[in-house]
Amino acid sequence: MKIKFLPVFVIALAGFLFATMAGSVGAVEVDIKFSEYLTKVMPRINVIERQREKYFRQHRRTPSTSIKSTRMFATSRWSAVQWANEVLIPDVNDFSVEALTRGFVTASLERAGISGVERVEIELRSLRVANYSLAAMSGPNSYAIGSITVYDAAGNTIGTADFTANLVTDFLVATSYDGSDFAFPDISIRQRVGPTLAYFVYKGLGRIFPDREFARTVLLIF
């Protein structure tokens, strides 16, 4: 699946601006290839993710969250947070694993000030989220296995990484977040694919560009 992803908006994400066409990243082609088993379950995953994203944007919690907890006040208390999913995909109807992955890649390159990248090739062979509601995706731990390869305009390989990314996150207690990382609610660690995918991109690009700092996965406790 080859899709041209062009950042056409200028919006603050965790304290920095994404560039438009004039930015250092420009139009980056992101080629995503899923394994056979992920290809089969991806339509179902996308339905689950889109439903949960719609609910979260409306209520700032998930259907399983107890209304007796502090989360019942989330709409007002955490209204200033720039949640990664919302900034990368403003229209919830466009939400999908593919779109989110492309967003992580493009935003990460921009945040790190990487120039000269024409195409990024991602192969995702395995993706698991601890206690995910879909059995085909659930596991004892959250991790992603695959590879990331980066090419320049001439088609030359800038770098490649084949690796396993076991989710490692930073937990913060904050009612607003203005840092430079990808912010997710803490409840998403076991219910959403976003945190694991963001960490996969972070680890892969970090191996290819070891002298640059990329956006990490941050979970906000509330």
Side-chain angles (χ1 to χ4, degrees), residues 32 46 51 56 79 89 118 127 169 176 195 213:
I32 305 173
N46 283 333
Q51 289 175 340
F56 179 77
S79 60
I89 308 178
E118 175 72 13
L127 177 62
T169 63
S176 62
E213 181 181 353

Side-chain angles (χ1 to χ4, degrees), residues 21-213:
M21 293 177 61
S24 59
V25 175
V28 177
E29 181 181 326
V30 181
D31 185 352
I32 305 173
K33 180 181 180 181
F34 294 116
S35 64
E36 183 177 354
Y37 104 85
L38 280 176
T39 299
K40 290 181 179 179
V41 300
M42 195 54 62
R44 179 54 182 158
I45 296 172
N46 283 333
V47 169
I48 293 173
E49 289 293 322
R50 193 174 298 113
Q51 289 175 340
R52 290 179 179 175
E53 183 65 18
K54 286 181 178 179
Y55 193 93
F56 179 77
R57 293 190 187 191
Q58 181 177 359
H59 303 287
R60 288 297 186 240
R61 58 186 178 88
T62 66
S64 62
T65 302
S66 172
I67 61 173
K68 296 181 181 181
S69 72
T70 58
R71 299 180 201 278
M72 66 185 298
F73 304 107
T75 300
S76 59
R77 292 185 63 185
W78 283 269
S79 60
V81 175
Q82 292 284 343
W83 300 108
N85 290 351
E86 292 181 346
V87 175
L88 294 177
I89 308 178
D91 188 343
V92 71
N93 294 313
D94 295 332
F95 201 90
S96 69
V97 173
E98 299 92 325
L100 192 59
T101 303
R102 293 193 301 272
F104 288 141
V105 171
T106 305
S108 295
L109 292 172
E110 181 62 35
R111 182 226 186 276
I114 304 294
S115 60
V117 173
E118 175 72 13
R119 184 166 68 93
V120 177
E121 184 179 89
I122 293 180
E123 180 183 0
L124 200 59
R125 298 191 296 273
S126 183
L127 177 62
R128 300 287 180 179
V129 176
N131 296 328
Y132 199 73
S133 59
L134 185 64
M137 281 281 292
S138 182
N141 302 301
S142 298
Y143 65 87
I145 301 175
S147 63
I148 296 179
T149 305
V150 178
Y151 301 90
D152 63 17
N156 300 313
T157 301
I158 295 175
T160 186
D162 192 293
F163 60 100
T164 297
N166 294 297
L167 179 59
V168 177
T169 63
D170 294 325
F171 288 87
L172 299 176
V173 179
T175 55
S176 62
Y177 180 73
D178 60 358
S180 57
D181 296 311
F182 294 124
F184 302 91
D186 60 342
I187 53 177
S188 65
I189 193 171
R190 295 180 181 275
Q191 299 175 343
R192 306 294 303 275
V193 300
T196 302
L197 286 173
Y199 188 74
F200 174 79
V201 172
Y202 161 80
K203 187 170 183 178
L205 292 180
R207 289 193 174 191
I208 297 171
F209 303 100
D211 59 334
R212 299 300 182 95
E213 181 181 353

